[in-house]
Amino acid sequence: ETGVTQTPRHLVMGMTNKKSLKCEQHLGHNAMYWYKQSAKKPLELMFVYNFKEQTENNSVPSRFSPECPNSSHLFLHLHTLQPEDSALYLCASSQEGGRAREAFFGQGTRLTVV
Amino acid sequence: AQTVTQSQPEMSVQEAETVTLSCTYDTSESDYYLFWYKQPPSRQMILVIRQEAYKQQNATENRFSVNFQKAAKSFSLKISDSQLGDAAMYFCAYKVDRGSTLGRLYFGRGTQLTVWP
């Protein structure tokens, strides 16, 4: 499944750096998501964009800043991260309001903060 | 609060045999969706099977089937004729389309499945 593409696949950044994760979906979906996957923890929803409007922010620290310029693209801007932010960041999309309810995921960005 | 519990951190199965992965969930909703996702070493989360709560019939997808017990809030995955390519982390997930939780998936901690040749 290549409907959701994430770049980069791997990212190493220092705590003072600024970087961005990119996600693009080619499925015509109307909702996009950022999830964080840490070792030994369930996947955590970070942000939801539905019809380009942010509808949920699960108390994510302000050092993570999402941007959704259109329904096909989603960014996660990172700045002054902490080592505990090292994780796999997964982007997903879904078509809300339709019969299909599943989310489609990208391959993730493995982030290491040093 | 919605929670999803997978009580088996690891499972193993012999190739061609059958294995069942367990999942329970907690919800006060009557209409929701349940999913099993597979995450191989490539890290991509792949949908294996889904079940709508309003449907009594258990979903099946080729070698994969579920045992959905709504009253017990149980949603187990059965993999028949296991193949080496089935080795992966399997996640059970729940979703309700209502209000502020629109589109949100709640995941269990996962079950790591090993398939022995």
Coordinates of all heavy atoms in Angstrom, one line a residue, chain B residues 21-103:
Chain B
L21 N -5.3 -14.6 18.4 CA -4.8 -13.5 19.2 C -6.0 -12.9 19.9 O -7.0 -12.6 19.3 CB -4.1 -12.5 18.3 CG -3.0 -13.0 17.4 CD1 -2.4 -11.9 16.6 CD2 -2.0 -13.8 18.1
S22 N -5.8 -12.5 21.2 CA -6.9 -12.0 22.0 C -7.0 -10.5 22.0 O -5.9 -9.8 22.0 CB -6.8 -12.6 23.4 OG -6.9 -14.0 23.4
C23 N -8.2 -10.0 22.2 CA -8.3 -8.5 22.3 C -9.6 -8.3 23.1 O -10.7 -8.9 22.7 CB -8.4 -7.8 21.0 SG -8.8 -6.0 21.1
T24 N -9.6 -7.4 24.1 CA -10.8 -7.0 24.7 C -10.8 -5.5 24.7 O -9.7 -4.8 24.7 CB -10.9 -7.5 26.2 OG1 -9.8 -7.1 26.9 CG2 -11.0 -9.0 26.2
Y25 N -12.0 -4.9 24.9 CA -12.1 -3.4 24.8 C -13.1 -3.0 25.8 O -14.0 -3.8 26.2 CB -12.3 -3.0 23.4 CG -13.6 -3.6 22.8 CD1 -14.8 -2.9 22.9 CD2 -13.6 -4.8 22.2 CE1 -16.0 -3.5 22.4 CE2 -14.7 -5.4 21.7 CZ -15.9 -4.7 21.8 OH -17.0 -5.3 21.2
D26 N -13.1 -1.7 26.1 CA -14.0 -1.2 27.1 C -14.7 0.0 26.4 O -14.0 1.0 26.0 CB -13.3 -0.7 28.4 CG -14.3 -0.2 29.4 OD1 -15.4 -0.7 29.4 OD2 -13.9 0.6 30.2
T27 N -16.0 0.0 26.4 CA -16.7 1.2 25.8 C -18.1 1.2 26.3 O -18.7 0.2 26.6 CB -16.7 1.1 24.2 OG1 -17.3 2.3 23.7 CG2 -17.4 -0.2 23.7
S28 N -18.7 2.4 26.2 CA -20.1 2.5 26.6 C -20.9 2.8 25.3 O -22.1 2.9 25.4 CB -20.3 3.7 27.5 OG -19.8 4.9 27.0
E29 N -20.2 2.8 24.1 CA -20.9 3.0 22.9 C -21.6 1.7 22.4 O -21.1 0.6 22.7 CB -19.9 3.5 21.8 CG -19.2 4.8 22.2 CD -20.1 6.0 22.2 OE1 -21.1 5.9 21.5 OE2 -19.8 7.0 22.8
S30 N -22.6 1.9 21.5 CA -23.2 0.7 20.9 C -22.8 0.6 19.5 O -22.9 -0.5 18.9 CB -24.7 0.8 21.0 OG -25.2 2.0 20.4
D31 N -22.4 1.6 18.8 CA -22.0 1.6 17.4 C -20.5 2.0 17.3 O -20.2 3.1 17.6 CB -22.9 2.6 16.6 CG -22.8 2.3 15.1 OD1 -22.2 1.3 14.7 OD2 -23.2 3.2 14.4
Y32 N -19.7 1.1 16.8 CA -18.3 1.4 16.7 C -17.7 0.4 15.7 O -18.4 -0.5 15.2 CB -17.6 1.3 18.1 CG -18.0 0.0 18.9 CD1 -17.2 -1.1 18.7 CD2 -19.0 0.0 19.8 CE1 -17.5 -2.3 19.4 CE2 -19.3 -1.1 20.5 CZ -18.6 -2.3 20.3 OH -18.9 -3.4 21.0
Y33 N -16.4 0.5 15.5 CA -15.7 -0.3 14.6 C -14.5 -0.9 15.3 O -13.9 -0.3 16.2 CB -15.2 0.5 13.4 CG -16.3 1.2 12.6 CD1 -16.8 2.4 13.0 CD2 -16.9 0.5 11.5 CE1 -17.9 3.0 12.3 CE2 -17.9 1.1 10.8 CZ -18.4 2.4 11.2 OH -19.4 3.0 10.6
L34 N -14.1 -2.1 14.9 CA -13.0 -2.8 15.4 C -12.1 -3.2 14.3 O -12.6 -3.6 13.2 CB -13.4 -4.0 16.3 CG -14.2 -3.7 17.5 CD1 -14.9 -4.9 18.1 CD2 -13.2 -3.1 18.6
F35 N -10.8 -3.2 14.5 CA -9.8 -3.5 13.5 C -8.7 -4.3 14.1 O -8.3 -4.2 15.3 CB -9.2 -2.2 12.9 CG -10.2 -1.2 12.4 CD1 -10.6 -0.2 13.3 CD2 -10.6 -1.2 11.1 CE1 -11.5 0.8 12.8 CE2 -11.6 -0.3 10.7 CZ -12.0 0.7 11.5
W36 N -8.1 -5.1 13.2 CA -6.8 -5.7 13.5 C -5.8 -5.2 12.4 O -6.1 -5.3 11.2 CB -6.8 -7.2 13.4 CG -7.3 -7.9 14.6 CD1 -8.6 -8.3 14.9 CD2 -6.6 -8.1 15.8 NE1 -8.7 -8.9 16.2 CE2 -7.4 -8.8 16.7 CE3 -5.2 -7.9 16.2 CZ2 -7.0 -9.2 18.0 CZ3 -4.8 -8.3 17.5 CH2 -5.7 -9.0 18.4
Y37 N -4.7 -4.6 12.9 CA -3.7 -4.1 12.0 C -2.4 -5.0 12.3 O -2.2 -5.5 13.4 CB -3.3 -2.7 12.3 CG -4.3 -1.7 11.7 CD1 -5.4 -1.2 12.4 CD2 -4.0 -1.1 10.5 CE1 -6.2 -0.3 11.9 CE2 -4.9 -0.2 9.9 CZ -6.0 0.3 10.7 OH -6.8 1.2 10.1
K38 N -1.6 -5.1 11.2 CA -0.4 -5.9 11.3 C 0.7 -4.9 11.0 O 0.6 -4.1 10.1 CB -0.5 -6.9 10.2 CG 0.8 -7.6 9.8 CD 0.6 -8.6 8.6 CE 1.9 -9.2 8.1 NZ 1.6 -10.1 7.0
Q39 N 1.8 -5.0 11.8 CA 3.0 -4.1 11.6 C 4.2 -5.0 11.4 O 4.8 -5.4 12.4 CB 3.1 -3.1 12.7 CG 4.2 -2.1 12.4 CD 4.4 -1.0 13.5 OE1 4.3 -1.4 14.7 NE2 4.6 0.2 13.1
P40 N 4.6 -5.3 10.2 CA 5.8 -6.1 10.0 C 7.1 -5.2 10.3 O 7.0 -4.0 10.6 CB 5.7 -6.5 8.5 CG 4.9 -5.4 7.9 CD 4.0 -4.9 9.0
P41 N 8.3 -5.8 10.1 CA 9.5 -5.0 10.4 C 9.6 -3.8 9.5 O 10.3 -2.9 9.9 CB 10.6 -6.1 10.1 CG 10.0 -7.4 10.4 CD 8.6 -7.2 10.0
S42 N 8.9 -3.8 8.4 CA 9.0 -2.6 7.5 C 8.3 -1.4 8.2 O 8.4 -0.2 7.7 CB 8.3 -2.8 6.2 OG 6.9 -3.0 6.4
R43 N 7.6 -1.6 9.3 CA 7.0 -0.6 10.2 C 5.6 -0.1 9.6 O 4.9 0.6 10.4 CB 7.9 0.6 10.4 CG 9.2 0.3 11.0 CD 9.9 1.5 11.4 NE 9.9 2.6 10.4 CZ 11.0 3.2 9.9 NH1 12.2 2.8 10.3 NH2 10.8 4.2 9.1
Q44 N 5.3 -0.4 8.4 CA 4.0 0.1 7.9 C 2.8 -0.7 8.5 O 2.8 -1.9 8.6 CB 3.9 -0.1 6.4 CG 2.6 0.5 5.8 CD 2.8 1.1 4.5 OE1 3.7 0.7 3.7 NE2 1.9 2.0 4.1
M45 N 1.9 0.0 9.0 CA 0.7 -0.5 9.7 C -0.3 -0.9 8.5 O -0.7 -0.1 7.8 CB 0.0 0.5 10.6 CG -0.9 0.0 11.6 SD 0.0 -0.8 13.0 CE 0.6 0.7 13.8
I46 N -0.6 -2.2 8.5 CA -1.4 -2.7 7.4 C -2.7 -3.3 8.0 O -2.7 -4.1 8.9 CB -0.7 -3.8 6.6 CG1 0.6 -3.3 6.1 CG2 -1.5 -4.4 5.5 CD1 1.6 -4.4 5.6
L47 N -3.8 -2.9 7.4 CA -5.1 -3.4 7.9 C -5.3 -4.9 7.5 O -5.1 -5.3 6.4 CB -6.3 -2.6 7.2 CG -7.7 -3.1 7.6 CD1 -7.9 -2.7 9.1 CD2 -8.7 -2.5 6.7
V48 N -5.6 -5.7 8.5 CA -5.9 -7.1 8.3 C -7.3 -7.4 8.1 O -7.7 -8.1 7.2 CB -5.3 -7.9 9.5 CG1 -5.6 -9.4 9.3 CG2 -3.8 -7.7 9.6
I49 N -8.1 -6.8 9.0 CA -9.6 -7.1 9.0 C -10.3 -6.1 9.8 O -9.7 -5.5 10.7 CB -9.8 -8.6 9.5 CG1 -11.2 -9.1 9.1 CG2 -9.6 -8.6 11.0 CD1 -11.3 -10.6 9.3
R50 N -11.6 -5.9 9.5 CA -12.4 -4.9 10.3 C -13.7 -5.5 10.6 O -14.2 -6.4 9.8 CB -12.5 -3.6 9.5 CG -13.4 -3.7 8.3 CD -13.7 -2.4 7.7 NE -14.6 -2.5 6.5 CZ -15.1 -1.5 5.9 NH1 -14.9 -0.3 6.4 NH2 -15.9 -1.7 4.8
Q51 N -14.4 -5.0 11.6 CA -15.7 -5.5 12.0 C -16.5 -4.3 12.5 O -16.1 -3.5 13.3 CB -15.5 -6.5 13.2 CG -16.8 -6.9 13.8 CD -17.4 -8.1 13.1 OE1 -16.8 -9.0 12.6 NE2 -18.8 -8.0 12.9
E52 N -17.7 -4.2 11.9 CA -18.7 -3.2 12.4 C -19.5 -3.8 13.5 O -19.9 -4.9 13.4 CB -19.6 -2.8 11.2 CG -19.0 -2.0 10.1 CD -18.5 -2.9 9.0 OE1 -18.2 -4.1 9.2 OE2 -18.3 -2.3 7.9
A53 N -19.6 -3.0 14.6 CA -20.2 -3.6 15.8 C -21.7 -3.9 15.6 O -22.2 -4.8 16.2 CB -20.1 -2.5 16.9
Y54 N -22.4 -3.3 14.6 CA -23.8 -3.5 14.4 C -24.0 -4.9 13.6 O -25.1 -5.4 13.5 CB -24.5 -2.4 13.6 CG -24.0 -2.2 12.2 CD1 -24.6 -2.9 11.2 CD2 -23.0 -1.3 11.9 CE1 -24.2 -2.7 9.9 CE2 -22.6 -1.1 10.6 CZ -23.2 -1.8 9.6 OH -22.8 -1.6 8.3
K55 N -22.9 -5.4 13.1 CA -23.0 -6.7 12.3 C -22.8 -7.8 13.3 O -21.7 -7.9 13.9 CB -22.0 -6.7 11.2 CG -22.3 -5.7 10.0 CD -21.4 -5.9 8.9 CE -21.7 -5.0 7.7 NZ -20.8 -5.2 6.6
Q56 N -23.7 -8.8 13.3 CA -23.5 -9.9 14.1 C -22.5 -11.0 13.5 O -21.9 -11.7 14.2 CB -24.8 -10.6 14.4 CG -25.7 -9.7 15.3 CD -27.0 -10.5 15.7 OE1 -27.5 -11.3 15.0 NE2 -27.6 -10.1 16.8
Q57 N -22.5 -11.0 12.2 CA -21.7 -11.9 11.5 C -20.2 -11.6 11.7 O -19.8 -10.4 11.5 CB -22.0 -12.0 10.0 CG -21.3 -13.1 9.3 CD -21.8 -13.2 7.8 OE1 -22.7 -12.4 7.4 NE2 -21.4 -14.2 7.1
N58 N -19.4 -12.6 12.0 CA -18.0 -12.4 12.1 C -17.3 -12.1 10.8 O -17.6 -12.8 9.8 CB -17.3 -13.6 12.8 CG -17.7 -13.7 14.3 OD1 -17.8 -12.7 15.0 ND2 -17.8 -14.9 14.7
A59 N -16.4 -11.1 10.7 CA -15.7 -10.8 9.5 C -14.7 -11.9 9.2 O -14.1 -12.5 10.1 CB -15.0 -9.5 9.6
T60 N -14.5 -12.1 7.9 CA -13.4 -13.0 7.4 C -12.7 -12.4 6.2 O -13.4 -11.7 5.4 CB -14.0 -14.4 7.0 OG1 -14.9 -14.2 5.9 CG2 -14.7 -15.1 8.2
E61 N -11.4 -12.6 6.1 CA -10.6 -12.2 5.0 C -9.6 -13.3 4.7 O -8.6 -13.4 5.3 CB -9.9 -10.9 5.3 CG -10.7 -9.7 5.3 CD -11.2 -9.2 3.9 OE1 -10.6 -9.7 2.9 OE2 -12.2 -8.4 3.9
N62 N -10.0 -14.2 3.8 CA -9.1 -15.3 3.5 C -8.7 -16.1 4.7 O -9.6 -16.7 5.3 CB -7.9 -14.8 2.7 CG -8.2 -14.0 1.5 OD1 -9.0 -14.5 0.7 ND2 -7.7 -12.9 1.3
R63 N -7.5 -16.2 5.1 CA -7.0 -17.0 6.2 C -7.3 -16.3 7.6 O -7.0 -16.9 8.6 CB -5.5 -17.3 6.1 CG -5.2 -18.1 4.9 CD -3.7 -18.4 4.8 NE -2.9 -17.2 4.7 CZ -2.2 -16.7 5.6 NH1 -2.1 -17.2 6.9 NH2 -1.4 -15.6 5.4
F64 N -7.8 -15.1 7.5 CA -8.0 -14.3 8.8 C -9.5 -14.3 9.1 O -10.3 -13.9 8.2 CB -7.4 -12.9 8.6 CG -5.9 -12.9 8.4 CD1 -5.4 -13.0 7.1 CD2 -5.0 -12.8 9.4 CE1 -4.1 -12.9 6.8 CE2 -3.7 -12.8 9.2 CZ -3.2 -12.8 7.9
S65 N -9.8 -14.5 10.3 CA -11.2 -14.4 10.8 C -11.2 -13.9 12.2 O -10.2 -14.0 12.9 CB -11.9 -15.7 10.6 OG -11.3 -16.7 11.5
V66 N -12.4 -13.3 12.6 CA -12.5 -12.8 13.9 C -13.6 -13.5 14.6 O -14.5 -14.1 14.0 CB -12.7 -11.3 14.0 CG1 -11.6 -10.5 13.3 CG2 -14.1 -10.9 13.3
N67 N -13.5 -13.5 16.0 CA -14.6 -14.0 16.8 C -15.0 -12.7 17.6 O -14.4 -12.3 18.6 CB -14.1 -15.1 17.8 CG -15.3 -15.6 18.6 OD1 -16.4 -15.2 18.5 ND2 -15.0 -16.6 19.5
F68 N -16.1 -12.1 17.2 CA -16.6 -10.9 17.8 C -17.7 -11.2 18.8 O -18.8 -11.7 18.4 CB -17.1 -9.9 16.7 CG -17.7 -8.7 17.2 CD1 -17.2 -7.9 18.2 CD2 -19.0 -8.3 16.7 CE1 -17.8 -6.8 18.7 CE2 -19.6 -7.1 17.1 CZ -19.0 -6.4 18.1
Q69 N -17.5 -10.9 20.0 CA -18.5 -11.2 21.1 C -18.8 -9.8 21.7 O -18.1 -9.3 22.6 CB -17.9 -12.1 22.1 CG -17.5 -13.5 21.6 CD -18.7 -14.3 21.2 OE1 -19.7 -14.2 21.8 NE2 -18.5 -15.1 20.2
K70 N -19.9 -9.2 21.2 CA -20.2 -7.8 21.6 C -20.5 -7.7 23.1 O -20.0 -6.7 23.7 CB -21.3 -7.3 20.7 CG -21.5 -5.8 20.9 CD -22.6 -5.2 19.9 CE -22.7 -3.7 20.0 NZ -23.7 -3.2 19.1
A71 N -21.3 -8.6 23.6 CA -21.6 -8.5 25.0 C -20.4 -8.6 25.9 O -20.3 -8.0 26.9 CB -22.7 -9.6 25.3
A72 N -19.5 -9.5 25.5 CA -18.3 -9.7 26.3 C -17.2 -8.7 25.9 O -16.1 -8.7 26.6 CB -17.8 -11.1 26.0
K73 N -17.4 -7.9 24.9 CA -16.5 -6.9 24.5 C -15.1 -7.6 24.2 O -14.1 -7.2 24.6 CB -16.3 -5.7 25.5 CG -17.6 -5.0 25.7 CD -17.4 -3.8 26.7 CE -18.8 -3.1 26.9 NZ -18.7 -2.1 27.9
S74 N -15.2 -8.6 23.3 CA -14.1 -9.4 23.0 C -14.0 -9.4 21.4 O -15.0 -9.6 20.7 CB -14.2 -10.8 23.5 OG -13.3 -11.6 23.0
F75 N -12.8 -9.4 20.9 CA -12.6 -9.3 19.5 C -11.3 -10.1 19.2 O -10.2 -9.4 19.0 CB -12.5 -7.9 19.1 CG -12.4 -7.6 17.6 CD1 -13.3 -8.1 16.7 CD2 -11.3 -6.9 17.1 CE1 -13.2 -7.9 15.3 CE2 -11.1 -6.7 15.7 CZ -12.1 -7.1 14.8
S76 N -11.3 -11.4 19.0 CA -10.1 -12.1 18.8 C -9.9 -12.4 17.3 O -10.8 -12.4 16.5 CB -10.1 -13.5 19.5 OG -11.2 -14.2 19.1
L77 N -8.6 -12.5 17.0 CA -8.2 -12.8 15.6 C -7.7 -14.2 15.4 O -6.8 -14.6 16.2 CB -7.1 -11.8 15.1 CG -6.5 -12.0 13.8 CD1 -7.5 -11.7 12.7 CD2 -5.2 -11.1 13.6
K78 N -8.2 -14.9 14.5 CA -7.7 -16.3 14.2 C -7.0 -16.3 12.9 O -7.6 -15.8 11.9 CB -8.9 -17.3 14.2 CG -8.4 -18.7 14.0 CD -9.5 -19.7 14.2 CE -10.3 -19.9 13.0 NZ -11.3 -21.1 13.1
I79 N -5.8 -16.8 12.9 CA -5.0 -16.9 11.6 C -4.9 -18.4 11.4 O -4.3 -19.1 12.2 CB -3.6 -16.3 11.8 CG1 -3.7 -14.8 12.2 CG2 -2.9 -16.3 10.4 CD1 -2.4 -14.1 12.5
S80 N -5.4 -18.8 10.2 CA -5.4 -20.2 9.8 C -4.3 -20.4 8.8 O -3.9 -19.5 8.1 CB -6.7 -20.6 9.2 OG -7.8 -20.4 10.1
D81 N -3.7 -21.6 8.8 CA -2.7 -22.0 7.8 C -1.6 -20.9 7.9 O -1.2 -20.3 6.9 CB -3.3 -22.1 6.4 CG -2.3 -22.6 5.4 OD1 -1.3 -23.3 5.8 OD2 -2.5 -22.2 4.2
S82 N -1.0 -20.7 9.0 CA -0.1 -19.6 9.2 C 1.1 -19.7 8.3 O 1.6 -20.8 8.0 CB 0.5 -19.6 10.7 OG -0.6 -19.4 11.6
Q83 N 1.5 -18.6 7.8 CA 2.7 -18.5 6.9 C 3.8 -17.6 7.5 O 3.5 -16.8 8.4 CB 2.2 -17.9 5.6 CG 1.1 -18.7 4.9 CD 0.6 -18.0 3.6 OE1 1.0 -16.9 3.2 NE2 -0.4 -18.7 3.0
L84 N 5.0 -17.9 7.0 CA 6.1 -17.1 7.5 C 5.9 -15.6 7.4 O 6.3 -14.9 8.3 CB 7.4 -17.5 6.8 CG 7.9 -19.0 7.0 CD1 9.1 -19.3 6.2 CD2 8.1 -19.3 8.5
G85 N 5.2 -15.2 6.4 CA 5.0 -13.8 6.2 C 4.0 -13.2 7.1 O 3.8 -12.0 7.2
D86 N 3.3 -14.0 7.9 CA 2.4 -13.5 8.9 C 3.1 -13.0 10.2 O 2.5 -12.3 11.0 CB 1.4 -14.6 9.4 CG 0.5 -15.1 8.2 OD1 0.3 -14.2 7.3 OD2 0.1 -16.2 8.3
A87 N 4.4 -13.3 10.3 CA 5.2 -12.8 11.4 C 5.2 -11.3 11.5 O 5.6 -10.7 10.5 CB 6.6 -13.4 11.4
A88 N 4.7 -10.8 12.6 CA 4.6 -9.3 12.7 C 4.1 -9.0 14.1 O 3.7 -9.9 14.9 CB 3.7 -8.7 11.6
M89 N 4.0 -7.7 14.3 CA 3.3 -7.2 15.5 C 1.8 -7.0 15.1 O 1.6 -6.3 14.1 CB 3.9 -5.9 16.0 CG 3.2 -5.3 17.3 SD 3.6 -6.3 18.8 CE 5.1 -5.5 19.3
Y90 N 0.9 -7.5 15.9 CA -0.5 -7.3 15.6 C -1.2 -6.4 16.6 O -1.0 -6.6 17.8 CB -1.2 -8.7 15.5 CG -0.9 -9.5 14.3 CD1 0.3 -10.2 14.2 CD2 -1.8 -9.5 13.2 CE1 0.6 -10.9 13.0 CE2 -1.5 -10.2 12.0 CZ -0.3 -10.9 12.0 OH 0.1 -11.6 10.8
F91 N -1.9 -5.4 16.1 CA -2.6 -4.4 16.9 C -4.1 -4.5 16.8 O -4.6 -4.5 15.6 CB -2.1 -3.0 16.6 CG -0.7 -2.7 17.0 CD1 0.3 -2.8 16.0 CD2 -0.4 -2.3 18.3 CE1 1.6 -2.5 16.4 CE2 0.9 -2.0 18.6 CZ 2.0 -2.1 17.6
C92 N -4.7 -4.6 17.9 CA -6.2 -4.5 17.9 C -6.5 -3.0 18.1 O -5.9 -2.3 18.8 CB -6.7 -5.3 19.1 SG -8.5 -5.3 19.3
A93 N -7.5 -2.5 17.4 CA -7.9 -1.1 17.4 C -9.4 -0.9 17.4 O -10.1 -1.7 16.8 CB -7.2 -0.3 16.3
Y94 N -9.8 0.2 18.0 CA -11.2 0.5 18.2 C -11.5 1.9 17.7 O -10.6 2.8 17.9 CB -11.6 0.4 19.7 CG -12.8 1.1 20.2 CD1 -14.0 0.4 20.3 CD2 -12.8 2.4 20.5 CE1 -15.2 1.1 20.7 CE2 -13.9 3.1 20.9 CZ -15.1 2.4 21.0 OH -16.2 3.1 21.5
K95 N -12.6 2.1 17.1 CA -13.0 3.5 16.6 C -14.4 3.7 16.8 O -15.3 2.9 16.4 CB -12.5 3.6 15.2 CG -12.9 4.9 14.5 CD -12.4 4.9 13.1 CE -12.7 6.2 12.4 NZ -12.2 6.1 11.0
V96 N -14.8 4.9 17.2 CA -16.2 5.3 17.2 C -16.3 6.7 16.5 O -15.4 7.6 16.7 CB -16.7 5.4 18.7 CG1 -16.0 6.4 19.5 CG2 -18.2 5.8 18.7
D97 N -17.2 6.9 15.7 CA -17.4 8.1 14.9 C -18.5 8.9 15.6 O -19.6 8.9 15.3 CB -17.8 7.8 13.5 CG -16.7 7.3 12.7 OD1 -15.5 7.4 13.1 OD2 -17.0 6.6 11.7
R98 N -18.0 9.7 16.6 CA -19.0 10.5 17.3 C -18.3 11.6 18.0 O -17.3 11.4 18.7 CB -19.8 9.7 18.3 CG -20.9 10.4 19.0 CD -21.6 9.5 20.0 NE -20.8 9.1 21.1 CZ -20.6 9.8 22.1 NH1 -21.1 11.0 22.2 NH2 -19.8 9.4 23.1
G99 N -18.8 12.8 17.8 CA -18.3 14.0 18.6 C -16.8 14.2 18.4 O -16.2 14.1 17.3
S100 N -16.2 14.5 19.5 CA -14.8 14.9 19.5 C -13.8 13.7 19.2 O -12.7 14.0 18.9 CB -14.4 15.5 20.9 OG -14.5 14.6 21.9
T101 N -14.3 12.5 19.2 CA -13.4 11.4 18.9 C -13.5 11.0 17.5 O -13.0 10.0 17.1 CB -13.8 10.2 19.8 OG1 -15.1 9.7 19.4 CG2 -13.8 10.5 21.3
L102 N -14.1 11.8 16.7 CA -14.3 11.5 15.2 C -13.0 11.1 14.6 O -12.0 11.8 14.6 CB -14.8 12.7 14.5 CG -15.1 12.5 13.0 CD1 -16.3 11.6 12.9 CD2 -15.4 13.9 12.4
G103 N -13.0 9.9 14.1 CA -11.8 9.4 13.3 C -10.7 8.8 14.2 O -9.8 8.2 13.7

